[in-house]
Amino acid sequence: MASLQDVAKKAGVSTATVSRVLNDAPNISPDTRARVKKAIRQLMYKPNRVARRLRSPGGQKKLIGLLIPDIQNPFYVEVLRGVEDVAYANGYSVLLCNYAQDKKKEKSYLDILQSEEIDGLIAAPFDEEDPDIIRLLQSGLSLVCVDRGLKGIDVDIVLVDNFQGAYEATELLLKLGHKRIGYIGGMKSIPSSIQRKQGYVQAHQDYGVPLDEDLIRFGDSKHESGKKISNELLTQPDPPTALFTGNNLITLGALETIHALNLKIPEDIAIVGFDDMYWAISLNPPLTAVRQPGYGYEIGRRATQILFRRIAEPEMEPARVILNPKLIIRKSCGSAQLNAEQE
Amino acid sequence: MASLQDVAKKAGVSTATVSRVLNDAPNISPDTRARVKKAIRQLMYKPNRVARRLRSPGGQKKLIGLLIPDIQNPFYVEVLRGVEDVAYANGYSVLLCNYAQDKKKEKSYLDILQSEEIDGLIAAPFDEEDPDIIRLLQSGLSLVCVDRGLKGIDVDIVLVDNFQGAYEATELLLKLGHKRIGYIGGMKSIPSSIQRKQGYVQAHQDYGVPLDEDLIRFGDSKHESGKKISNELLTQPDPPTALFTGNNLITLGALETIHALNLKIPEDIAIVGFDDMYWAISLNPPLTAVRQPGYGYEIGRRATQILFRRIAEPEMEPARVILNPKLIIRKSCGSAQLNAEQE
DNA sequence: TTGAAAGCGCTAACAT
DNA sequence: ATGTTAGCGCTTTCAA
């Protein structure tokens, strides 16, 4: 691999000049610029990003990190795509760290990110207290949170209105006459699990339907837990007539259980899920779901834009972007039209 | 951030000694080692991976690249997980490059990978000719291909037996009595699209069922193309009675069309897909599909193991791992039991 | 067993 | 407008 030195030699200039041409610095004679560019072409020179990163001050390293809880969750795939598109358009690469719901792995990735000289980080923390991320933030790293924030800390954050989404989902089921609606949340330590529960509770209160605390359960945000908890709920003596599932994977797990129990949707059991997927229409039956903007893509996109602003302007007021979810009504909760939008 | 220099100063030794302790070099007195370790702890020192990568010879950079065509395809998510798990277990990070089926983006990512000082690359090339990847390989980079190889080049590769998987899928449909089976392939330039077509063709020949070339179509490996092509096939005067879809996303697209046309599966149209997903059982109806080992996870895992061997032993014979697919029979092709395995 | 010093490829003062 | 030089944080000869 040709180095910047080689280019300098070939063009008969100093390395500084080559560096200037590379970085579009002003005050270079058109002639030298041309000579350097020619040498670059001839040698097929590509700047070494590692060396550049080592030398460049913060904000010019052209690398950002993305820390997510679970790449198997299609929501985070969409977030990733949003992040990647904006980063790529700006000449940045993305170092993806998927901690797979494992707190130890998260910590280890945070160490790696710290020693990879990134310009900034987009992260969905393990939980609201996450001391490791807080330490990183306080050490001066530009950070934007997605999906969940940090307790008591005013950090840039982009997320959906979880309360509202859960409220609308629950409201739909209540309007359809359901009195016993199960809620299967993700991990109890994740703010979104709590906020979604609150929307669920508030809807019950507003509609005067008494709550049965036993129908409210939390798991670990994964497929398996949706499968297991839905089975517990549906095989008890007085089972719910509807289910509100707390995320993508939980919904898929619950569907699997429902089919295994040979229950009919929506006659025996109605279901509304948080998180829509572009193929949710091909599920059995087509799923009624709360869609986050762009299925998550929009969250990644916005977060990255904010991160770039934060990098350029570290003292900027923290941004707090709360996007609106949208209830997509399909067949899994009955043939209701009501007043929510349809796909 | 404390640097290695700081540690050296604190411990009263040279930077070389600290480096030796860090890398578990021999010939260090237990006493010095202890002093250095203590300083490391006190300063909470973490080695800077960027500096290390810049200085280290190939094979010690602790970073590998993963280049994939489409992160929206759950198959590649599983491949990623397999790669990541093995890499992580060995102290390596993974730089993920998703070129989103875009050849220009692939080239650009290849440039980035080259200038990121990676130890090796796992890649699913855009097509078999891919000159950019070939150049990288010839420049001495350790490369393992997944899912598709490079024409005329003996490179390490891990993939599933596409011919066999397609053969079994088609055979199932033929045994069920279907005479007009549509094949919706991915991009024609991708070897797997061709190999799967060949399995489809061979099964027809073996079962003495004439081929209708018009039922064989190729698209772009994405959801939208599955949706569009299946619509073309199913709305023609003499439509097929069964569909064999060439990948994950094509299957989901086809399902969407089938439902939109209000056709019953499997009565009006049977469907078997290449690529199983762990939630395929929750589709409408539960999908009969060709499962790659671990849904793709196993391919990522094996490829990474081979990459590490290749890095350690560059002159090793190229490995060619061909894994067996497995036909998972569910309801989308009728209630057949036959002789294939069931889930 | 340890240290001094060179240098990976680049950028950024500081000179000129 | 261009060159000289120091140095980012580390590893690795070479010497002692």
Side-chain angles (χ1 to χ4, degrees), chain B residues 60-72:
Chain B
Q60 323 250 78
K61 295 170 186 296
K62 301 291 179 188
L63 180 70
I64 61 175
L66 173 61
L67 182 75
I68 55 171
D70 189 1
I71 190 67
Q72 284 192 290

Side-chain angles (χ1 to χ4, degrees), chain B residues 54-116:
Chain B
L54 187 59
R55 195 58 244 262
S56 297
Q60 323 250 78
K61 295 170 186 296
K62 301 291 179 188
L63 180 70
I64 61 175
L66 173 61
L67 182 75
I68 55 171
D70 189 1
I71 190 67
Q72 284 192 290
N73 185 326
F75 167 72
Y76 287 111
V77 171
E78 293 305 308
V79 171
L80 163 60
R81 293 205 315 116
V83 170
E84 204 201 359
D85 280 358
V86 178
Y88 182 84
N90 288 275
Y92 276 70
S93 311
V94 177
L95 187 62
L96 175 69
C97 300
N98 163 38
Y99 59 85
Q101 307 280 17
D102 176 343
K103 192 156 191 167
K104 264 165 68 186
K105 208 167 174 187
E106 189 214 22
K107 183 165 172 37
S108 148
Y109 267 133
L110 249 14
D111 284 349
I112 289 177
L113 283 163
Q114 190 169 180
S115 61
E116 280 288 359

Side-chain angles (χ1 to χ4, degrees), chain B residues 27 86 95 181 186 279 300 327:
Chain B
N27 299 335
V86 178
L95 187 62
I181 305 171
W279 37 265
L327 185 61

Side-chain angles (χ1 to χ4, degrees), chain A residues 3-4 19 45 48 52 55:
Chain A
S3 76
L4 184 143
S19 177
Y45 167 75
N48 182 315
R52 178 177 277 184
R55 195 57 246 260

